[in-house]
Amino acid sequence: MDINIKLNDLKYRYDVYQMFNIYFPLDKINFSELEGDYHVEITDDRIKFSYNDINREEYKNDNEYYKETIKKVIFKALRDITGDEYPWGTLVGIRPSKIALKHLREGKSEEEVKEIFFEKHITSEEKAQLCIDVAEFEDKYVNKDPKNIAIYVGMAFCPTRCLYCSFAANPIGGNKKLVNPYLEALTYEIEEIKKYVDEKGLRIESVYFGGGTPTAVNDEEFENLMNKIYNSFVENRELKEFTVECGRPDSITLNKLQTMKKYDVTRISINPQTMNDETLKLIGRGHTSQDVIDKFKMARDLGFEDINMDMIIGLPGEGLQEAKITAREIKKLSPDSLTIHGLSLKRGSIMYENFILKKGLGLKSQEEIMKMYEESKNLAKELELTPYYMYRQKNMVGNMENLGYSKKGKECIYNIQMIEDKQTIIALGADAVTKVVFLENDRIERFGNVKDIKEYVNRIKEMVDGKIALLDTLYK
């Protein structure tokens, strides 16, 4: 379905688009200065919205927040038209807890912060309170020393590619010839960054091995890479945390879990996303819900005491009943932390084109999506987990949030530092993005490795040299 908007001043096109995209995330949104079903007229002192019998008009009262006024007028009008309630209001930023933290540091009370969220963004009291709670928690961990860093290592392969995925995750079955060259290039990058870290006297706070799927390679390849990571970034260092995001249970073996214990991994993720087998098959996961249960119990039996699980809200064909099944099965396993993701719809992706559009597996109603989120919230409460980090993405179903819960003392330090943007993160592997944080002037510079594996392998020295050149601007 096309949404056709008549907009007299196209310099406000993006602001108007953001609001329409909340209410019509699967539709094509078109703009014209001449014609359209929805009329938006913006002048120097007035915003006017009209559609059929719906008319809204508001006058500018603050130059600084004029764009926010525009968003609010459109948001309220579309709320009247659709009848849908979106608790984040007009807020589209990816780190809303930072807004709360800023105001709290300025000395505002929690009630004042909640009022600001509502007056500026029409954000519900519940979501504003969530921002406050997460902000106060994250503030305890925020980095204050530029020499404290995190290391991210990325595996560029997965057993199969999940249809919602946008990361560098190449199905390993069709890319076996690239595995050894990739591991050799990654090993070179690890060795060079180890030298740099030691020469500059940097202190590694956390190591995060993600991807892709770190356990996608065979047992021997995994052992060799873990040995290299351990010897380079873990051994004889005062790490707070070493995470391996195992992710896919179909790639986890007893040998790999034993290897992780051998190299002092403190935290792992075993991620079902859903515990409904039909959905798992539909989205391209090569495992069943029973595989999740078996591998989780295997990890517990080996002594892993900090296991995270992920759950995705809004997968194709899933509604409240499926969310309840997933919550029920996760509760039985009792993970130490739980990350709730809202499905992010990527236009042009396999999922969007083949499953959302062609097969008619559209979004559930906003009311049902909110009930699914409430189910995940109840699950966290029953597991005695509390929220500790949060971020949002564009085009999320229901315009909700990704939220991390954990037991006390089992929070993922790496996740917090990543969200807070106050710690330098040196990232290794294809498509990995290094983030260099200049605390003195609150500035961030990034260096991204190339995504294509062949290019990464061929240009590895260039990648390392470029990364080190950027790091040298901070660590002179």
Side-chain angles (χ1 to χ4, degrees):
M1 178 179 172
D2 281 9
I3 302 295
N4 298 306
I5 303 167
K6 180 182 177 182
L7 176 62
N8 69 307
D9 192 341
L10 292 180
K11 77 179 180 182
Y12 295 108
R13 175 176 176 163
Y14 184 61
D15 305 292
V16 176
Y17 170 84
Q18 286 180 318
M19 297 302 100
F20 273 86
N21 193 51
I22 290 173
Y23 285 89
F24 306 105
L26 293 180
D27 299 314
K28 184 179 180 182
I29 299 172
N30 306 306
F31 287 90
S32 170
E33 292 180 286
L34 303 175
E35 58 183 1
D37 300 316
Y38 299 85
H39 292 189
V40 180
E41 182 182 342
I42 302 172
T43 64
D44 289 341
D45 63 352
R46 186 191 67 174
I47 307 109
K48 186 176 181 181
F49 179 102
S50 59
Y51 174 78
N52 292 342
D53 296 329
I54 300 291
N55 291 281
R56 281 189 173 274
E57 189 171 10
E58 193 164 326
Y59 288 84
K60 177 171 67 173
N61 55 21
D62 192 319
N63 283 323
E64 183 180 356
Y65 297 122
Y66 192 38
K67 285 189 176 183
E68 295 301 329
T69 304
I70 293 169
K71 291 177 183 178
K72 285 196 291 185
V73 170
I74 297 170
F75 181 90
K76 290 176 181 178
L78 294 177
R79 183 177 61 188
D80 292 344
I81 292 166
T82 65
D84 289 335
E85 292 286 344
Y86 289 91
W88 282 105
T90 66
L91 197 59
V92 294
I94 63 173
R95 292 176 171 86
S97 59
K98 282 193 161 188
I99 299 172
L101 184 57
K102 173 182 176 292
H103 291 304
L104 291 171
R105 285 176 173 170
E106 290 171 351
K108 294 183 176 66
S109 68
E110 289 192 5
E111 290 305 313
E112 288 173 322
V113 174
K114 284 187 277 191
E115 186 176 344
I116 290 169
F117 269 95
F118 180 76
E119 290 298 324
K120 188 174 179 182
H121 304 292
I122 326 177
T123 304
S124 73
E125 182 176 2
E126 179 190 4
K127 295 303 180 187
Q129 186 64 56
L130 177 61
C131 287
I132 291 168
D133 292 343
V134 171
E136 290 178 337
F137 190 94
E138 289 181 345
D139 196 35
K140 302 173 188 175
Y141 292 88
V142 66
N143 181 58
K144 298 178 176 63
D145 188 336
K147 285 208 165 186
N148 289 338
I149 66 165
I151 297 287
Y152 175 86
V153 181
M155 175 62 71
F157 303 99
C158 272
T160 59
R161 185 176 182 85
C162 301
L163 298 184
Y164 53 78
C165 182
S166 61
F167 293 104
N170 304 274
I172 198 164
N175 292 280
K176 287 190 179 296
K177 292 181 179 179
L178 295 176
V179 173
N180 282 337
Y182 179 78
L183 295 178
E184 289 174 4
L186 181 58
T187 296
Y188 171 80
E189 191 173 18
I190 289 171
E191 290 171 346
E192 293 303 304
I193 295 304
K194 176 194 183 302
K195 292 176 188 175
Y196 187 86
V197 168
D198 291 342
E199 287 170 3
K200 298 297 183 178
L202 305 182
R203 293 179 292 274
I204 301 173
E205 184 179 59
S206 65
V207 174
Y208 194 102
F209 187 12
T213 305
T215 47
V217 295
N218 66 38
D219 289 0
E220 182 180 357
E221 291 162 340
F222 184 73
E223 160 82 31
N224 291 338
L225 186 55
M226 284 293 294
N227 178 275
K228 179 60 66 174
I229 294 171
Y230 177 80
N231 290 332
S232 300
F233 303 130
V234 180
E235 188 177 24
N236 297 323
R237 301 183 192 270
E238 296 181 2
L239 254 67
K240 293 183 179 179
E241 172 184 278
F242 182 13
T243 295
V244 176
E245 190 175 8
C246 309
R248 295 276 295 267
D250 46 328
S251 67
I252 299 171
T253 65
L254 177 61
N255 284 340
K256 286 171 183 166
L257 288 170
Q258 289 172 333
T259 294
M260 285 182 263
K261 289 299 291 185
K262 176 180 176 181
Y263 293 117
D264 296 341
V265 171
T266 60
R267 181 180 182 273
I268 64 173
S269 292
I270 300 176
N271 301 330
Q273 316 303 12
T274 174
M275 293 295 277
N276 296 279
D277 287 343
E278 285 188 16
T279 309
L280 289 169
K281 184 177 180 180
L282 182 68
I283 63 177
R285 304 277 286 191
H287 65 85
T288 66
S289 56
Q290 187 60 47
D291 293 330
V292 176
I293 296 167
D294 293 343
K295 297 303 169 65
F296 188 97
K297 289 181 177 178
M298 183 186 291
R300 279 288 197 234
D301 289 343
L302 284 173
F304 284 95
E305 298 178 349
D306 195 347
I307 306 178
N308 175 77
M309 301 186 84
D310 284 5
M311 175 181 177
I312 297 180
I313 302 292
L315 288 168
E318 291 212 339
L320 179 59
Q321 185 59 35
E322 287 76 19
K324 286 184 174 182
I325 291 170
T326 297
R328 182 189 69 208
E329 295 304 313
I330 289 177
K331 181 183 176 183
K332 291 177 184 177
L333 295 173
S334 190
D336 306 285
S337 59
L338 176 70
T339 308
I340 305 299
H341 298 275
L343 179 67
S344 182
L345 299 168
K346 310 289 184 183
R347 283 184 173 84
S349 69
I350 297 173
M351 174 171 284
Y352 182 83
E353 295 294 336
N354 293 344
F355 287 82
I356 302 295
L357 297 183
K358 293 181 182 177
K359 294 190 178 181
L361 296 175
L363 299 180
K364 298 297 181 181
S365 69
Q366 179 63 13
E367 181 182 3
E368 185 162 9
I369 288 170
M370 290 180 68
K371 287 180 180 178
M372 293 164 74
Y373 269 92
E374 191 65 25
E375 194 67 33
S376 70
K377 182 179 175 181
N378 292 338
L379 169 62
K381 185 176 181 180
E382 290 170 357
L383 291 172
E384 298 183 342
L385 309 177
T386 55
Y388 76 98
Y389 92 109
M390 172 179 60
Y391 66 99
R392 303 183 72 218
Q393 293 171 279
K394 293 181 180 178
N395 301 325
M396 289 180 67
V397 295
N399 194 40
M400 299 294 274
E401 71 277 346
N402 298 321
L403 185 58
Y405 297 91
S406 77
K407 292 180 180 177
K408 187 176 181 181
K410 299 294 178 71
E411 305 82 12
C412 180
I413 304 300
Y414 175 86
N415 284 339
I416 294 173
Q417 299 297 4
M418 173 62 77
I419 292 299
E420 278 292 324
D421 280 338
K422 295 296 184 182
Q423 185 175 84
T424 291
I425 297 174
I426 304 179
L428 320 179
D431 203 30
V433 179
T434 291
K435 179 168 62 177
V436 180
V437 178
F438 299 80
L439 288 174
E440 286 188 2
N441 50 11
D442 197 23
R443 179 169 60 90
I444 297 173
E445 297 286 343
R446 292 175 171 85
F447 182 91
N449 286 350
V450 293
K451 183 172 184 176
D452 182 80
I453 293 177
K454 291 180 181 178
E455 283 295 293
Y456 172 76
V457 171
N458 292 334
R459 297 168 56 189
I460 185 58
K461 188 176 186 306
E462 174 191 335
M463 298 291 100
V464 171
D465 290 347
K467 196 188 324 287
I468 287 176
L470 175 57
L471 288 164
D472 276 342
T473 62
L474 175 60
Y475 305 114
K476 300 174 183 177

